[in-house]
Amino acid sequence: MNIPFVDLGAQYDSIKDEIDAAIARVIRNTAFIGGESVRTFEREFAAACGRSHCVGVGNGTDAIYIVLRMLGIGPGDEVLVPAMTWIATSEAVSQTGATPVFVDIDPEFLTMDPDELETLRTSRTRAMIPVHLYGQAADMPAITEWAERHDIHVIEDTAQAHLSRIAGKTVGSWGVAATFSFYPSKNLGAYGDAGAVVSSDHELADRIRKFANHGQAVKHDHVMEGINSRLDGIQAAILSAKLPHLESWIERRRSIAERYRAGLSGIDGLALPTERPDSRHTYHLFVVRSSQRDALRAHLEDAGIGTLIQYPTALPGMPLYAQHPGNRGTYPVAHDLAATGLSLPMYPELGFEQVDRVCNVIREFHA
Ligand SMILES: *Cc1c(COP(=O)(O)O)cnc(C)c1O
């Protein structure tokens, strides 16, 4: 029994008729860019996140870039980003001309460590981008309290945590804006590149919408130079077809996490993911930590079980950032996670039998 790391085909099989009908409708209406399906999804997704505005954009990286630009962030500014995240978070900062400044993660929950912020703050710090890594909400109460005190914009990178919650609020509803990716393997995934920004700031959302569409709200009325980063009609229709299932998919991910936790508890040298108190983890990824990570990974591979490493190098450890002005610390926690973290198979269609098999193969390795 081979167990892939992820199986997007299984999800398609489970909702094939809804997806096929949604795609056919867009093709029939020839509303390929913008149009009704995009407006509908934006309305639905804003509501799901508890925000008044959602703007569909081309992908999750553009979403971050666009928000930063529309907040006026650029050359001379510094933006705090976690040392462990997908490179999109720091790339988007650099694209604006600003400097990403890396912040270590906390050892228990693996998100931006609020205790590290004060030493990294300078007079140039204008914004920060906490990432809800693996589906775990960052410590938003502490982060927003600190940011407000210093007049720093908070932009949530929510690419891995659609509908996670902390302290009674959905992630994406804490900062001035939040960015989403709908990359196919994300918890809510399109069938190509897609992304969105949500915000309750009407004026900001309006500028974001124009900037992402060549600086125009009305065709040929360009109020600024923008870019071309739009959500297309087919992707929006697919996302609307999937959105009603997201809640049950998240609950299934949480049950799988429980099953892993029961099956893997008490193994010496294997650390399991923990959930931040008063939060809902949505398990985009189930990441265990082991000092024998590479050997464990090979053992699983031999048994036909797919795993991934998210991510094999913390951003400040990449040669490209070696001399970077934002590389200002030692980042022990992020480097340790890069050396020990292993993502196990995690997707709603994964059967408990398969989870049990993964657990058994891991136990066998430690025996
Ligand atoms: C996937 C991801 C992104 C970028 O999303 P794309 O849609 O691939 O551009 C940004 N940040 C994080 C943390 C991600 O996981």
Side-chain angles (χ1 to χ4, degrees):
M1 170 168 81
N2 277 2
I3 304 174
F5 178 72
V6 68
D7 184 354
L8 299 179
Q11 184 175 83
Y12 173 60
D13 288 339
S14 75
I15 52 169
K16 182 177 183 309
D17 294 347
E18 294 156 63
I19 296 281
D20 291 355
I23 293 172
R25 219 175 300 122
V26 176
I27 296 173
R28 179 57 53 213
N29 296 338
T30 66
F32 298 115
I33 305 288
E36 194 44 43
S37 68
V38 174
R39 296 294 160 259
T40 301
F41 174 69
E42 287 176 340
R43 208 165 41 240
E44 293 167 350
F45 196 65
C49 296
R51 300 233 103 166
S52 41
H53 301 279
C54 170
V55 182
V57 298
N59 57 70
T61 311
D62 281 0
I64 303 169
Y65 169 72
I66 292 166
V67 172
L68 290 167
R69 282 291 307 272
M70 292 303 95
L71 288 170
I73 285 156
D77 296 332
E78 292 179 355
V79 180
L80 300 168
V81 302
M84 179 54 95
T85 173
W86 177 235
I87 193 169
T89 318
S90 54
E91 274 176 334
V93 175
S94 299
Q95 273 169 37
T96 69
T99 303
V101 174
F102 302 114
V103 182
D104 206 3
I105 53 174
D106 80 87
E108 193 171 3
F109 306 116
L110 311 178
T111 55
M112 184 183 260
D113 189 345
D115 293 340
E116 298 286 318
L117 297 171
E118 198 50 47
T119 54
L120 292 165
R121 184 173 65 87
T122 72
S123 58
R124 299 174 158 208
T125 311
R126 297 265 329 272
M128 61 194 299
I129 312 179
V131 175
H132 306 298
L133 194 69
Y134 309 152
Q136 173 99 271
D139 188 353
M140 295 316 291
I143 284 171
T144 49
E145 192 267 331
W146 181 82
E148 255 167 55
R149 202 157 6 107
H150 301 291
D151 200 20
I152 290 169
H153 296 298
V154 177
I155 301 145
E156 300 176 69
D157 180 342
T158 318
Q160 301 189 2
H162 315 69
L163 308 191
S164 291
R165 283 196 294 268
I166 176 154
K169 283 174 68 174
T170 308
V171 298
S173 70
W174 290 82
V176 62
T179 63
F180 287 87
S181 168
F182 306 115
Y183 183 82
S185 59
K186 299 283 157 87
N187 282 14
L188 180 61
Y191 286 0
D193 276 312
V197 177
V198 301
S199 178
S200 289
D201 182 329
H202 175 75
E203 202 257 335
L204 177 65
D206 187 56
R207 272 185 291 142
I208 286 170
R209 184 176 293 289
K210 287 175 184 150
F211 184 75
N213 187 22
H214 300 292
Q216 59 184 354
V218 177
K219 204 172 178 67
H220 303 311
D221 179 13
H222 304 279
V223 298
M224 61 175 125
E225 275 191 340
I227 61 171
N228 176 0
S229 183
R230 299 175 297 217
L231 177 61
D232 75 63
I234 288 180
Q235 301 308 338
I238 290 165
L239 292 168
S240 278
K242 284 187 167 196
L243 187 57
H245 300 283
L246 182 56
E247 201 44 58
S248 68
W249 288 337
I250 288 170
E251 284 311 313
R252 176 67 192 173
R253 284 176 184 272
R254 290 182 52 74
S255 310
I256 291 167
E258 276 319 298
R259 189 90 178 182
Y260 269 132
R261 211 170 257 121
L264 296 174
S265 69
I267 298 179
D268 245 13
L270 190 80
L272 304 180
T274 50
E275 295 187 12
R276 193 184 292 289
D278 197 19
S279 80
R280 175 168 84 156
H281 196 315
T282 51
Y283 292 101
H284 172 54
L285 297 171
F286 190 89
V287 178
V288 298
R289 284 175 283 165
S290 164
S291 55
Q292 303 176 77
R293 191 262 315 274
D294 294 338
L296 174 59
R297 186 174 193 212
H299 182 77
L300 286 158
E301 184 78 44
D302 287 346
I305 297 167
T307 59
L308 283 178
I309 297 171
Q310 273 115 347
Y311 298 95
T313 313
L315 296 178
M318 291 182 181
L320 86 107
Y321 286 126
Q323 305 301 322
H324 190 272
N327 194 344
R328 293 181 190 166
T330 51
Y331 311 106
V333 185
H335 290 313
D336 181 71
L337 179 56
T340 62
L342 184 65
S343 309
L344 302 182
M346 170 57 84
Y347 45 96
E349 298 74 23
L350 187 65
F352 280 162
E353 261 167 82
Q354 294 171 301
V355 175
D356 294 347
R357 169 152 166 77
V358 175
C359 294
N360 289 338
V361 172
I362 292 175
R363 283 203 172 274
E364 199 180 276
F365 175 81
H366 289 89

